[in-house]
Amino acid sequence: MSAISKVARRSISTRFFLQQKRGYAASATTQPNDGIQQGVAYSHLLKRGPEDALRNPELAHISAVNGETTKMNLFQAVNDAMSIALATDENSVVFGEDVSFGGVFRATTGLAEKFGKDRVFNTPLTEQGIAGFAIGMAAVGHTAIAEIQFADYIFPAFDQLVNEAAKYRYRSGNQFNVGGLTVRAPCSAVGHGGHYHSQSPEAFFAHCPGLKIVSPRSPIQAKGLLLASIRDRNPVIFFEPKNLYRAAVEEVPVADYELPLGKAEVLKKGKDVTIVGYGAQMYTLENAVQLAEKKMPGLSCELIDLRTIMPWDVDTVVESVNKTGRLVIAHEAPKSSGMGAEISSTIMERCFLRLEAPIQRVCGWDTPFPLIFEKFYMPSMIRCFDAIKTSVNY
């Protein structure tokens, strides 16, 4: 990368930091559509009270031991997870561009001061180097938590992650591994990022055996899934939807807890159509479900958050589609060869005789991510609603 492009990139990242300084931000659409209050600020998926936070069966063991919670947004939950990992594992380290200063999105704020700059430190501006260094540290027994400043920057590290990290255990006949490797990367649209700060590259890595891919929708999920990713004995790429860093706020358990990788969560039970997504797209799908059930009285939608993109929870989705006979999948990444295509293919193989309508995919278009046309690119509430309507009316 040229010196000019590096300077330009750092300048853009600095602007992101300046725009993200507030601790909390309400992400909401000001104009309701058919009475639907859109956006994260109005979501019923977020657990805003301690009782709601601990009602999740996956967290039942916490409430029995330590039921304390505290208000956190998503980047604070990520920070808390890394703090716990550093405190409970003396071999763990956190590194990346600007992380000792807190990072562009402030996700590593205070960690260097708390754990020392030999365990939380900055790297040069080289994603290939960050990934290679992380693989080396994991190979000799460290728990390496590496940050790629934006998911769009991860491509220089592609060879290291796909040809080294993913294959390390296999090519050594399980004599060696880099299971202690976790790569964090802020991903997806943010409203003003353009084509170099808005991409969702999960499908590139989901194609590669040996890597696990995770994307949380909320602070509670982010903390539990990140701790599980760090402690999982496989290399994990953890994609964090950056528009949720401050917009998504919940009461998060202060205790050390993990949420299961490879297990989807059914957020809303239904009988007529299965709706599947992950990450920030879950809030758009929530609104689309609300609109569909309002426009089509009696309609009952089942909403599923994959959480782990690879390996994705085939059984949960198959069970749901066998019940409903219909499937709608949505994600921000482009449609061609996206995760929606993989899910669609698998469901066709497993549920063909139970399907009542063609599977619908609502995705980003097959173009570079546009700046001024972002609202037309995104799989919006209306586009998702149209897919639900098409499926139900088939």
Side-chain angles (χ1 to χ4, degrees):
M1 180 180 293
S2 70
I4 293 175
S5 62
K6 286 185 178 180
V7 170
R9 191 177 73 172
R10 180 55 54 88
S11 175
I12 293 170
S13 298
T14 301
R15 291 203 299 274
F16 263 86
F17 163 67
L18 292 174
Q19 292 163 349
Q20 299 284 335
K21 287 176 70 175
R22 288 194 320 182
Y24 301 105
S27 176
T29 301
T30 55
Q31 294 296 326
N33 192 310
D34 286 286
I36 305 300
Q37 292 182 305
Q38 299 178 61
V40 182
Y42 301 110
S43 175
H44 299 295
L45 301 180
L46 294 171
K47 310 303 181 183
R48 295 187 170 88
E51 298 82 8
D52 289 337
L54 296 171
R55 195 172 290 130
N56 186 333
E58 294 176 336
L59 301 178
H61 64 287
I62 295 177
S63 58
V65 179
N66 179 7
E68 184 182 355
T69 66
T70 188
K71 184 180 179 182
M72 294 185 192
N73 60 29
L74 196 140
F75 91 75
Q76 291 168 330
V78 167
N79 180 284
D80 192 38
M82 288 189 285
S83 181
I84 290 172
L86 288 162
T88 57
D89 179 0
E90 63 181 11
N91 290 318
S92 61
V93 290
V94 173
F95 52 90
E97 298 163 12
D98 301 325
V99 299
S100 72
F101 309 140
V104 170
F105 294 102
R106 317 313 293 156
T108 54
T109 298
L111 296 182
E113 291 77 10
K114 185 175 181 180
F115 297 100
K117 293 193 174 182
D118 58 336
R119 296 184 66 196
V120 182
F121 50 88
N122 294 335
T123 65
L125 199 67
T126 166
E127 286 74 27
Q128 184 180 26
I130 293 169
F133 183 72
I135 290 166
M137 292 203 76
V140 296
H142 284 278
T143 301
I145 308 167
E147 179 184 294
I148 302 296
Q149 198 170 79
F150 285 82
D152 313 66
Y153 303 169
I154 204 168
F155 297 110
F158 194 80
D159 176 64
Q160 288 291 322
L161 295 172
V162 169
N163 273 333
E164 302 299 336
K167 298 175 174 63
Y168 208 91
R169 190 192 306 271
Y170 180 84
R171 70 187 180 96
S172 71
N174 202 29
Q175 295 182 70
F176 314 106
N177 69 80
V178 292
L181 171 63
T182 303
V183 177
R184 296 178 41 250
C187 69
S188 306
V190 71
H192 52 266
H195 55 289
Y196 286 138
H197 294 80
S198 305
Q199 295 177 77
S200 299
E202 63 272 8
F204 289 97
F205 296 98
H207 186 68
C208 179
L211 297 175
K212 291 189 176 183
I213 317 296
V214 180
S215 186
R217 72 174 184 272
S218 72
I220 291 174
Q221 297 293 313
K223 179 178 176 178
L225 291 171
L226 181 54
L227 278 168
S229 298
I230 292 168
R231 293 164 176 168
D232 190 88
R233 292 299 88 191
N234 295 280
V236 179
I237 303 178
F238 194 85
F239 287 117
E240 300 163 7
K242 54 184 172 287
N243 66 330
L244 299 182
Y245 271 143
R246 286 157 181 78
V249 181
E250 288 185 304
E251 286 289 328
V252 179
V254 300
D256 179 346
Y257 67 92
E258 300 175 26
L259 293 173
L261 302 185
K263 180 64 178 174
E265 183 178 7
V266 179
L267 300 178
K268 177 184 178 298
K269 292 283 189 179
K271 60 182 178 60
D272 298 317
V273 56
T274 300
I275 318 293
V276 174
Y278 50 85
Q281 188 63 28
M282 297 312 303
Y283 300 99
T284 302
L285 289 174
E286 178 191 25
N287 292 149
V289 166
Q290 292 168 345
L291 182 59
E293 292 184 343
K294 181 176 182 179
K295 291 279 192 179
M296 294 178 275
L299 180 68
S300 172
C301 301
E302 183 145 300
L303 181 61
I304 299 176
D305 178 6
L306 285 185
R307 303 194 293 188
T308 301
I309 299 169
M310 189 58 63
W312 64 283
D313 187 354
V314 176
D315 291 342
T316 293
V317 179
V318 165
E319 180 181 358
S320 177
V321 175
N322 276 335
K323 174 178 63 176
T324 66
R326 298 174 177 86
L327 175 62
V328 175
I329 311 159
H331 56 67
E332 287 185 28
K335 185 175 184 178
S336 294
S337 299
M339 275 305 298
E342 174 61 28
I343 297 167
S344 177
S345 175
T346 301
I347 296 304
M348 283 292 290
E349 294 169 354
R350 300 278 293 268
C351 306
F352 179 74
L353 294 177
R354 302 297 294 271
L355 286 172
E356 300 288 346
I359 296 169
Q360 302 294 308
R361 287 182 289 157
V362 190
C363 312
W365 304 114
D366 290 338
T367 70
F369 196 102
L371 178 58
I372 61 172
F373 297 121
E374 178 174 313
K375 68 178 181 179
F376 302 109
Y377 178 90
M378 296 290 288
S380 64
M381 177 185 75
I382 295 300
R383 288 179 60 198
C384 293
F385 163 71
D386 285 342
I388 295 171
K389 184 169 64 173
T390 298
S391 179
V392 171
N393 291 337
Y394 181 78

